[in-house]
Amino acid sequence: MYDYAKEKFLQFINSNFDINDKKIEHKLNHTFHVVDNAIYICNKMNLSNEDKNIAMIIALLHDIGRFEQAKEFKSFREDITNFDHATLGTKILFEKNLIRTFLTDEQYDSIIKVAIANHSKYELETNMMSEREIMHSKIIRDADKLDSFRAKKEDDIYVMANITKEEIENSLISDNIFEDIMNEKTILSKSRKTAIDIWISYIAFVFGLYFDVSLEYIKEKNYINILIDRFDYKIPETKDKMEQIRKKINEYID
């Protein structure tokens, strides 16, 4: 099931997007890392092969709207583009019936649609979901966030976030952002004001993880320390607050 979907997905991307574009390349790389993370979570949870395949397909297709966003706006930041990539993704897949290109069986459509529609929302609203839809929504949200940590460690900052190293190193943390971190909250995009607010918001994804195995993964990879240490913060106040953030998040993970 997944292998067929992957083959059709790659054909779709190659036919519709410039794979030499750095943002398209970044998003394609991200997609397959999220698939790997979904497999990791499913294996740790001892899920069935059927659920593992569903999770892999959700991961494969979760950011299909991002490719259109990159192509049209040259940015992934929705506070810049005013563009909901998850909503567009479900429209592309289900209103235009593109889902049948990737998956011939209709029985998983509801799970896939719900999970993709909810993968990037600030909070997961579960009141109208089945238990299986909730589970797969949580898996893709965690798998997606886990790869954000990997990407923020390895990838070009400007390609990902339209901010530069210099902007991050020479900006102050907004009071509301620092307060949210200290209160163990994830960050709303519209609340960010400075370049370092944007950077911190990615680190704060840790507070939105659902599964213990995801927190263990972050700890094993030492992502919090690596991401905080990626930059040389020039402003003493910022440097001091970043150390407080390091302490808070590492204590939360432990």
PDB file of all heavy atoms in Angstrom, residues 52-79:
ATOM      1  N   LYS A  52       0.433   0.909  10.693  1.00  0.00           N
ATOM      2  CA  LYS A  52       1.727   1.455  10.289  1.00  0.00           C
ATOM      3  C   LYS A  52       1.664   1.968   8.850  1.00  0.00           C
ATOM      4  O   LYS A  52       2.162   3.058   8.537  1.00  0.00           O
ATOM      5  CB  LYS A  52       2.821   0.407  10.425  1.00  0.00           C
ATOM      6  CG  LYS A  52       4.233   0.983  10.199  1.00  0.00           C
ATOM      7  CD  LYS A  52       5.304  -0.088  10.104  1.00  0.00           C
ATOM      8  CE  LYS A  52       5.435  -0.879  11.375  1.00  0.00           C
ATOM      9  NZ  LYS A  52       6.580  -1.835  11.306  1.00  0.00           N
ATOM     10  N   ASN A  53       1.025   1.207   7.969  1.00  0.00           N
ATOM     11  CA  ASN A  53       0.876   1.639   6.573  1.00  0.00           C
ATOM     12  C   ASN A  53       0.038   2.906   6.459  1.00  0.00           C
ATOM     13  O   ASN A  53       0.352   3.807   5.679  1.00  0.00           O
ATOM     14  CB  ASN A  53       0.268   0.518   5.730  1.00  0.00           C
ATOM     15  CG  ASN A  53       1.308  -0.306   5.010  1.00  0.00           C
ATOM     16  OD1 ASN A  53       1.753   0.050   3.926  1.00  0.00           O
ATOM     17  ND2 ASN A  53       1.707  -1.407   5.622  1.00  0.00           N
ATOM     18  N   ILE A  54      -1.030   2.980   7.248  1.00  0.00           N
ATOM     19  CA  ILE A  54      -1.861   4.190   7.245  1.00  0.00           C
ATOM     20  C   ILE A  54      -1.037   5.388   7.704  1.00  0.00           C
ATOM     21  O   ILE A  54      -1.072   6.461   7.085  1.00  0.00           O
ATOM     22  CB  ILE A  54      -3.098   4.007   8.154  1.00  0.00           C
ATOM     23  CG1 ILE A  54      -4.014   2.919   7.608  1.00  0.00           C
ATOM     24  CG2 ILE A  54      -3.873   5.335   8.274  1.00  0.00           C
ATOM     25  CD1 ILE A  54      -5.120   2.511   8.569  1.00  0.00           C
ATOM     26  N   ALA A  55      -0.277   5.215   8.777  1.00  0.00           N
ATOM     27  CA  ALA A  55       0.550   6.303   9.307  1.00  0.00           C
ATOM     28  C   ALA A  55       1.592   6.744   8.287  1.00  0.00           C
ATOM     29  O   ALA A  55       1.871   7.945   8.150  1.00  0.00           O
ATOM     30  CB  ALA A  55       1.226   5.853  10.602  1.00  0.00           C
ATOM     31  N   MET A  56       2.170   5.800   7.570  1.00  0.00           N
ATOM     32  CA  MET A  56       3.173   6.122   6.558  1.00  0.00           C
ATOM     33  C   MET A  56       2.561   6.911   5.401  1.00  0.00           C
ATOM     34  O   MET A  56       3.173   7.864   4.886  1.00  0.00           O
ATOM     35  CB  MET A  56       3.826   4.838   6.050  1.00  0.00           C
ATOM     36  CG  MET A  56       4.705   4.146   7.085  1.00  0.00           C
ATOM     37  SD  MET A  56       5.101   2.435   6.649  1.00  0.00           S
ATOM     38  CE  MET A  56       6.197   2.684   5.246  1.00  0.00           C
ATOM     39  N   ILE A  57       1.369   6.538   4.992  1.00  0.00           N
ATOM     40  CA  ILE A  57       0.708   7.250   3.892  1.00  0.00           C
ATOM     41  C   ILE A  57       0.303   8.656   4.332  1.00  0.00           C
ATOM     42  O   ILE A  57       0.453   9.629   3.573  1.00  0.00           O
ATOM     43  CB  ILE A  57      -0.500   6.439   3.379  1.00  0.00           C
ATOM     44  CG1 ILE A  57       0.005   5.201   2.628  1.00  0.00           C
ATOM     45  CG2 ILE A  57      -1.384   7.292   2.462  1.00  0.00           C
ATOM     46  CD1 ILE A  57      -1.068   4.208   2.260  1.00  0.00           C
ATOM     47  N   ILE A  58      -0.188   8.789   5.553  1.00  0.00           N
ATOM     48  CA  ILE A  58      -0.503  10.120   6.084  1.00  0.00           C
ATOM     49  C   ILE A  58       0.755  10.983   6.087  1.00  0.00           C
ATOM     50  O   ILE A  58       0.733  12.145   5.666  1.00  0.00           O
ATOM     51  CB  ILE A  58      -1.102  10.021   7.498  1.00  0.00           C
ATOM     52  CG1 ILE A  58      -2.490   9.382   7.440  1.00  0.00           C
ATOM     53  CG2 ILE A  58      -1.182  11.403   8.158  1.00  0.00           C
ATOM     54  CD1 ILE A  58      -3.042   8.977   8.805  1.00  0.00           C
ATOM     55  N   ALA A  59       1.856  10.420   6.552  1.00  0.00           N
ATOM     56  CA  ALA A  59       3.124  11.161   6.576  1.00  0.00           C
ATOM     57  C   ALA A  59       3.567  11.550   5.169  1.00  0.00           C
ATOM     58  O   ALA A  59       4.041  12.665   4.939  1.00  0.00           O
ATOM     59  CB  ALA A  59       4.197  10.327   7.270  1.00  0.00           C
ATOM     60  N   LEU A  60       3.420  10.632   4.230  1.00  0.00           N
ATOM     61  CA  LEU A  60       3.795  10.899   2.839  1.00  0.00           C
ATOM     62  C   LEU A  60       3.027  12.080   2.261  1.00  0.00           C
ATOM     63  O   LEU A  60       3.593  12.909   1.540  1.00  0.00           O
ATOM     64  CB  LEU A  60       3.534   9.643   1.995  1.00  0.00           C
ATOM     65  CG  LEU A  60       3.894   9.715   0.519  1.00  0.00           C
ATOM     66  CD1 LEU A  60       5.410   9.671   0.336  1.00  0.00           C
ATOM     67  CD2 LEU A  60       3.233   8.562  -0.248  1.00  0.00           C
ATOM     68  N   LEU A  61       1.742  12.179   2.598  1.00  0.00           N
ATOM     69  CA  LEU A  61       0.862  13.172   1.979  1.00  0.00           C
ATOM     70  C   LEU A  61       0.587  14.389   2.852  1.00  0.00           C
ATOM     71  O   LEU A  61      -0.065  15.337   2.400  1.00  0.00           O
ATOM     72  CB  LEU A  61      -0.475  12.509   1.616  1.00  0.00           C
ATOM     73  CG  LEU A  61      -0.399  11.298   0.670  1.00  0.00           C
ATOM     74  CD1 LEU A  61      -1.794  10.703   0.469  1.00  0.00           C
ATOM     75  CD2 LEU A  61       0.215  11.686  -0.663  1.00  0.00           C
ATOM     76  N   HIS A  62       1.098  14.401   4.079  1.00  0.00           N
ATOM     77  CA  HIS A  62       0.663  15.422   5.045  1.00  0.00           C
ATOM     78  C   HIS A  62       0.976  16.848   4.600  1.00  0.00           C
ATOM     79  O   HIS A  62       0.244  17.780   4.919  1.00  0.00           O
ATOM     80  CB  HIS A  62       1.268  15.153   6.431  1.00  0.00           C
ATOM     81  CG  HIS A  62       2.667  15.643   6.611  1.00  0.00           C
ATOM     82  ND1 HIS A  62       3.770  14.999   6.072  1.00  0.00           N
ATOM     83  CD2 HIS A  62       3.163  16.721   7.282  1.00  0.00           C
ATOM     84  CE1 HIS A  62       4.866  15.643   6.398  1.00  0.00           C
ATOM     85  NE2 HIS A  62       4.539  16.696   7.132  1.00  0.00           N
ATOM     86  N   ASP A  63       2.066  17.038   3.868  1.00  0.00           N
ATOM     87  CA  ASP A  63       2.488  18.384   3.476  1.00  0.00           C
ATOM     88  C   ASP A  63       2.301  18.653   1.992  1.00  0.00           C
ATOM     89  O   ASP A  63       2.994  19.505   1.424  1.00  0.00           O
ATOM     90  CB  ASP A  63       3.949  18.610   3.862  1.00  0.00           C
ATOM     91  CG  ASP A  63       4.107  19.371   5.173  1.00  0.00           C
ATOM     92  OD1 ASP A  63       3.078  19.776   5.751  1.00  0.00           O
ATOM     93  OD2 ASP A  63       5.250  19.553   5.623  1.00  0.00           O
ATOM     94  N   ILE A  64       1.372  17.967   1.364  1.00  0.00           N
ATOM     95  CA  ILE A  64       1.188  18.159  -0.075  1.00  0.00           C
ATOM     96  C   ILE A  64       0.807  19.603  -0.394  1.00  0.00           C
ATOM     97  O   ILE A  64       1.161  20.141  -1.446  1.00  0.00           O
ATOM     98  CB  ILE A  64       0.153  17.147  -0.638  1.00  0.00           C
ATOM     99  CG1 ILE A  64       0.316  17.017  -2.155  1.00  0.00           C
ATOM    100  CG2 ILE A  64      -1.272  17.482  -0.214  1.00  0.00           C
ATOM    101  CD1 ILE A  64      -0.356  15.783  -2.719  1.00  0.00           C
ATOM    102  N   GLY A  65       0.147  20.273   0.545  1.00  0.00           N
ATOM    103  CA  GLY A  65      -0.173  21.685   0.362  1.00  0.00           C
ATOM    104  C   GLY A  65       1.033  22.595   0.464  1.00  0.00           C
ATOM    105  O   GLY A  65       1.038  23.716  -0.068  1.00  0.00           O
ATOM    106  N   ARG A  66       2.086  22.150   1.152  1.00  0.00           N
ATOM    107  CA  ARG A  66       3.307  22.945   1.311  1.00  0.00           C
ATOM    108  C   ARG A  66       4.014  23.165  -0.029  1.00  0.00           C
ATOM    109  O   ARG A  66       4.655  24.197  -0.247  1.00  0.00           O
ATOM    110  CB  ARG A  66       4.273  22.251   2.263  1.00  0.00           C
ATOM    111  CG  ARG A  66       3.947  22.350   3.725  1.00  0.00           C
ATOM    112  CD  ARG A  66       4.180  23.749   4.258  1.00  0.00           C
ATOM    113  NE  ARG A  66       4.287  23.754   5.714  1.00  0.00           N
ATOM    114  CZ  ARG A  66       4.161  24.830   6.450  1.00  0.00           C
ATOM    115  NH1 ARG A  66       3.896  25.991   5.876  1.00  0.00           N
ATOM    116  NH2 ARG A  66       4.268  24.775   7.761  1.00  0.00           N
ATOM    117  N   PHE A  67       3.937  22.181  -0.899  1.00  0.00           N
ATOM    118  CA  PHE A  67       4.605  22.309  -2.192  1.00  0.00           C
ATOM    119  C   PHE A  67       3.987  23.452  -2.995  1.00  0.00           C
ATOM    120  O   PHE A  67       4.698  24.239  -3.631  1.00  0.00           O
ATOM    121  CB  PHE A  67       4.539  20.983  -2.951  1.00  0.00           C
ATOM    122  CG  PHE A  67       5.350  19.892  -2.313  1.00  0.00           C
ATOM    123  CD1 PHE A  67       4.773  19.006  -1.414  1.00  0.00           C
ATOM    124  CD2 PHE A  67       6.699  19.754  -2.596  1.00  0.00           C
ATOM    125  CE1 PHE A  67       5.518  18.009  -0.807  1.00  0.00           C
ATOM    126  CE2 PHE A  67       7.465  18.755  -1.999  1.00  0.00           C
ATOM    127  CZ  PHE A  67       6.870  17.884  -1.098  1.00  0.00           C
ATOM    128  N   GLU A  68       2.658  23.555  -2.943  1.00  0.00           N
ATOM    129  CA  GLU A  68       1.982  24.670  -3.614  1.00  0.00           C
ATOM    130  C   GLU A  68       2.349  25.997  -2.951  1.00  0.00           C
ATOM    131  O   GLU A  68       2.545  27.010  -3.626  1.00  0.00           O
ATOM    132  CB  GLU A  68       0.466  24.469  -3.572  1.00  0.00           C
ATOM    133  CG  GLU A  68      -0.055  23.385  -4.505  1.00  0.00           C
ATOM    134  CD  GLU A  68       0.073  23.758  -5.976  1.00  0.00           C
ATOM    135  OE1 GLU A  68       0.253  24.962  -6.281  1.00  0.00           O
ATOM    136  OE2 GLU A  68      -0.004  22.850  -6.818  1.00  0.00           O
ATOM    137  N   GLN A  69       2.448  25.999  -1.632  1.00  0.00           N
ATOM    138  CA  GLN A  69       2.814  27.205  -0.893  1.00  0.00           C
ATOM    139  C   GLN A  69       4.203  27.690  -1.303  1.00  0.00           C
ATOM    140  O   GLN A  69       4.419  28.876  -1.561  1.00  0.00           O
ATOM    141  CB  GLN A  69       2.781  26.924   0.612  1.00  0.00           C
ATOM    142  CG  GLN A  69       3.085  28.132   1.488  1.00  0.00           C
ATOM    143  CD  GLN A  69       3.123  27.763   2.968  1.00  0.00           C
ATOM    144  OE1 GLN A  69       3.422  26.627   3.311  1.00  0.00           O
ATOM    145  NE2 GLN A  69       2.816  28.712   3.822  1.00  0.00           N
ATOM    146  N   ALA A  70       5.151  26.756  -1.371  1.00  0.00           N
ATOM    147  CA  ALA A  70       6.517  27.114  -1.765  1.00  0.00           C
ATOM    148  C   ALA A  70       6.567  27.620  -3.204  1.00  0.00           C
ATOM    149  O   ALA A  70       7.276  28.576  -3.514  1.00  0.00           O
ATOM    150  CB  ALA A  70       7.430  25.906  -1.597  1.00  0.00           C
ATOM    151  N   LYS A  71       5.821  26.966  -4.056  1.00  0.00           N
ATOM    152  CA  LYS A  71       5.807  27.337  -5.476  1.00  0.00           C
ATOM    153  C   LYS A  71       5.227  28.735  -5.683  1.00  0.00           C
ATOM    154  O   LYS A  71       5.756  29.536  -6.462  1.00  0.00           O
ATOM    155  CB  LYS A  71       4.975  26.309  -6.250  1.00  0.00           C
ATOM    156  CG  LYS A  71       4.930  26.518  -7.763  1.00  0.00           C
ATOM    157  CD  LYS A  71       4.134  25.394  -8.417  1.00  0.00           C
ATOM    158  CE  LYS A  71       4.056  25.547  -9.908  1.00  0.00           C
ATOM    159  NZ  LYS A  71       3.285  24.412 -10.530  1.00  0.00           N
ATOM    160  N   GLU A  72       4.168  29.052  -4.945  1.00  0.00           N
ATOM    161  CA  GLU A  72       3.477  30.328  -5.146  1.00  0.00           C
ATOM    162  C   GLU A  72       4.091  31.474  -4.366  1.00  0.00           C
ATOM    163  O   GLU A  72       4.227  32.589  -4.876  1.00  0.00           O
ATOM    164  CB  GLU A  72       1.999  30.185  -4.764  1.00  0.00           C
ATOM    165  CG  GLU A  72       1.185  31.439  -5.014  1.00  0.00           C
ATOM    166  CD  GLU A  72      -0.303  31.240  -4.796  1.00  0.00           C
ATOM    167  OE1 GLU A  72      -0.737  30.068  -4.619  1.00  0.00           O
ATOM    168  OE2 GLU A  72      -1.044  32.240  -4.798  1.00  0.00           O
ATOM    169  N   PHE A  73       4.484  31.221  -3.110  1.00  0.00           N
ATOM    170  CA  PHE A  73       4.890  32.314  -2.221  1.00  0.00           C
ATOM    171  C   PHE A  73       6.387  32.334  -1.899  1.00  0.00           C
ATOM    172  O   PHE A  73       6.862  33.307  -1.315  1.00  0.00           O
ATOM    173  CB  PHE A  73       4.115  32.238  -0.900  1.00  0.00           C
ATOM    174  CG  PHE A  73       2.635  32.418  -1.059  1.00  0.00           C
ATOM    175  CD1 PHE A  73       1.778  31.329  -0.990  1.00  0.00           C
ATOM    176  CD2 PHE A  73       2.090  33.672  -1.275  1.00  0.00           C
ATOM    177  CE1 PHE A  73       0.409  31.480  -1.119  1.00  0.00           C
ATOM    178  CE2 PHE A  73       0.717  33.847  -1.410  1.00  0.00           C
ATOM    179  CZ  PHE A  73      -0.119  32.747  -1.335  1.00  0.00           C
ATOM    180  N   LYS A  74       7.118  31.267  -2.219  1.00  0.00           N
ATOM    181  CA  LYS A  74       8.546  31.179  -1.904  1.00  0.00           C
ATOM    182  C   LYS A  74       8.808  31.299  -0.403  1.00  0.00           C
ATOM    183  O   LYS A  74       9.842  31.786   0.030  1.00  0.00           O
ATOM    184  CB  LYS A  74       9.351  32.260  -2.650  1.00  0.00           C
ATOM    185  CG  LYS A  74       9.117  32.295  -4.145  1.00  0.00           C
ATOM    186  CD  LYS A  74       9.473  30.979  -4.802  1.00  0.00           C
ATOM    187  CE  LYS A  74       9.253  31.027  -6.310  1.00  0.00           C
ATOM    188  NZ  LYS A  74       9.463  29.688  -6.936  1.00  0.00           N
ATOM    189  N   SER A  75       7.859  30.852   0.402  1.00  0.00           N
ATOM    190  CA  SER A  75       7.995  30.886   1.852  1.00  0.00           C
ATOM    191  C   SER A  75       7.087  29.830   2.459  1.00  0.00           C
ATOM    192  O   SER A  75       6.027  29.532   1.916  1.00  0.00           O
ATOM    193  CB  SER A  75       7.630  32.262   2.403  1.00  0.00           C
ATOM    194  OG  SER A  75       7.650  32.241   3.831  1.00  0.00           O
ATOM    195  N   PHE A  76       7.521  29.267   3.599  1.00  0.00           N
ATOM    196  CA  PHE A  76       6.684  28.331   4.348  1.00  0.00           C
ATOM    197  C   PHE A  76       6.007  28.982   5.543  1.00  0.00           C
ATOM    198  O   PHE A  76       5.208  28.350   6.228  1.00  0.00           O
ATOM    199  CB  PHE A  76       7.520  27.146   4.843  1.00  0.00           C
ATOM    200  CG  PHE A  76       8.083  26.295   3.738  1.00  0.00           C
ATOM    201  CD1 PHE A  76       9.443  26.065   3.640  1.00  0.00           C
ATOM    202  CD2 PHE A  76       7.251  25.720   2.794  1.00  0.00           C
ATOM    203  CE1 PHE A  76       9.978  25.265   2.634  1.00  0.00           C
ATOM    204  CE2 PHE A  76       7.755  24.919   1.775  1.00  0.00           C
ATOM    205  CZ  PHE A  76       9.123  24.702   1.700  1.00  0.00           C
ATOM    206  N   ARG A  77       6.322  30.228   5.808  1.00  0.00           N
ATOM    207  CA  ARG A  77       5.765  30.901   6.988  1.00  0.00           C
ATOM    208  C   ARG A  77       4.350  31.400   6.706  1.00  0.00           C
ATOM    209  O   ARG A  77       4.124  32.255   5.867  1.00  0.00           O
ATOM    210  CB  ARG A  77       6.671  32.057   7.408  1.00  0.00           C
ATOM    211  CG  ARG A  77       7.876  31.612   8.205  1.00  0.00           C
ATOM    212  CD  ARG A  77       8.797  32.737   8.535  1.00  0.00           C
ATOM    213  NE  ARG A  77       8.095  33.870   9.143  1.00  0.00           N
ATOM    214  CZ  ARG A  77       8.650  35.065   9.298  1.00  0.00           C
ATOM    215  NH1 ARG A  77       9.891  35.286   8.887  1.00  0.00           N
ATOM    216  NH2 ARG A  77       7.973  36.048   9.858  1.00  0.00           N
ATOM    217  N   GLU A  78       3.401  30.851   7.456  1.00  0.00           N
ATOM    218  CA  GLU A  78       2.009  31.175   7.193  1.00  0.00           C
ATOM    219  C   GLU A  78       1.617  32.549   7.731  1.00  0.00           C
ATOM    220  O   GLU A  78       0.606  33.107   7.331  1.00  0.00           O
ATOM    221  CB  GLU A  78       1.109  30.056   7.716  1.00  0.00           C
ATOM    222  CG  GLU A  78       1.366  28.777   6.931  1.00  0.00           C
ATOM    223  CD  GLU A  78       0.543  27.578   7.345  1.00  0.00           C
ATOM    224  OE1 GLU A  78      -0.261  27.692   8.287  1.00  0.00           O
ATOM    225  OE2 GLU A  78       0.712  26.522   6.718  1.00  0.00           O
ATOM    226  N   ASP A  79       2.468  33.094   8.633  1.00  0.00           N
ATOM    227  CA  ASP A  79       2.219  34.468   9.065  1.00  0.00           C
ATOM    228  C   ASP A  79       2.613  35.459   7.970  1.00  0.00           C
ATOM    229  O   ASP A  79       2.160  36.606   7.974  1.00  0.00           O
ATOM    230  CB  ASP A  79       2.961  34.787  10.363  1.00  0.00           C
ATOM    231  CG  ASP A  79       4.460  34.528  10.280  1.00  0.00           C
ATOM    232  OD1 ASP A  79       4.888  33.713   9.434  1.00  0.00           O
ATOM    233  OD2 ASP A  79       5.214  35.136  11.054  1.00  0.00           O
TER     234      ASP A  79
END
